[in-house]
Amino acid sequence: MSSAVWTVPNVISMVRLAMVPVFAVLIVTGEDLWALVVLAASGASDWLDGFLARRLDQVSRLGQVLDPAADRLFIVVTLIGLTWRGVVPLWVLVVVVARDVMLACLAPVLSRHGYGPLQVGFVGKGGTFALLYAFPLLLLAQSPGTVGAVAQVVGWAFAWWGVGLYWLAGLQYLVQTRRLVAADAGGPGRVES
């Protein structure tokens, strides 16, 4: 695990973070085509930074924090924009943000016991993947005709799977935190190595 900051994957994650306010302005001003382009680029760069980190052997501590932070920020800002535009109902925003608030509450508990952020698991990656694919499709669903109708169905399918997996991962992180804290205290939930 590297402590390097300026790696190719980290730069990609930083660019993705810089795209968040760009997307916010585009969605608010009704520039849907450009907003779709930014969303698609964000989704592609999310895959690319992880692939390059492994391929170039540039996995870093910063990258393990930066990548999921960029994902969460993009998801929340996108949901706020889509909710503001009336593309998704408010409950979707509330459910996703509630999960992120729960995870934010785990961070001080982990830190107090000497642990850093938890490793992102397969289920969490799957939920993020589904949500990042749902958003451009739901935005595209605003188009009239067959393209909009198909995008609506596929977008909501990705959204439902994404929300479900997002919460399942959140519950897994909660259980993992409980086990780590119990093991640290030597309690009944102690994890054997």
Side-chain angles (χ1 to χ4, degrees), residues 49-190:
D49 67 1
F51 173 78
L52 289 176
R54 291 181 297 278
R55 183 76 151 180
L56 301 174
D57 196 26
Q58 293 185 347
V59 176
S60 68
R61 287 183 188 90
L62 178 62
Q64 288 189 324
V65 173
L66 197 57
D67 181 54
D71 291 343
R72 286 190 184 109
L73 186 59
F74 224 109
I75 287 170
V76 169
V77 169
T78 302
L79 272 175
I80 290 170
L82 294 177
T83 302
W84 182 80
R85 288 273 306 274
V87 174
V88 297
L90 180 61
W91 70 263
V92 176
L93 173 63
V94 170
V95 166
V96 170
V97 169
R99 184 268 199 179
D100 286 340
V101 168
M102 179 188 75
L103 291 185
C105 292
L106 296 179
V109 173
L110 288 164
S111 179
R112 194 169 43 248
H113 289 272
Y115 296 104
L118 296 173
Q119 191 89 351
V120 177
F122 179 74
V123 174
K125 289 178 184 179
T128 299
F129 171 86
L131 288 174
L132 289 176
Y133 274 82
F135 300 146
L137 289 167
L138 292 173
L139 190 55
L140 187 60
Q142 304 308 297
S143 304
T146 305
V147 170
V150 171
Q152 178 87 5
V153 171
V154 176
W156 276 109
F158 271 110
W160 279 106
W161 273 103
V163 168
L165 290 172
Y166 209 61
W167 264 97
L168 178 59
L171 294 174
Q172 288 177 335
Y173 299 140
L174 184 65
V175 168
Q176 187 179 1
T177 300
R178 189 192 72 73
R179 286 183 181 154
L180 289 170
V181 169
D184 191 47
R190 184 180 182 108

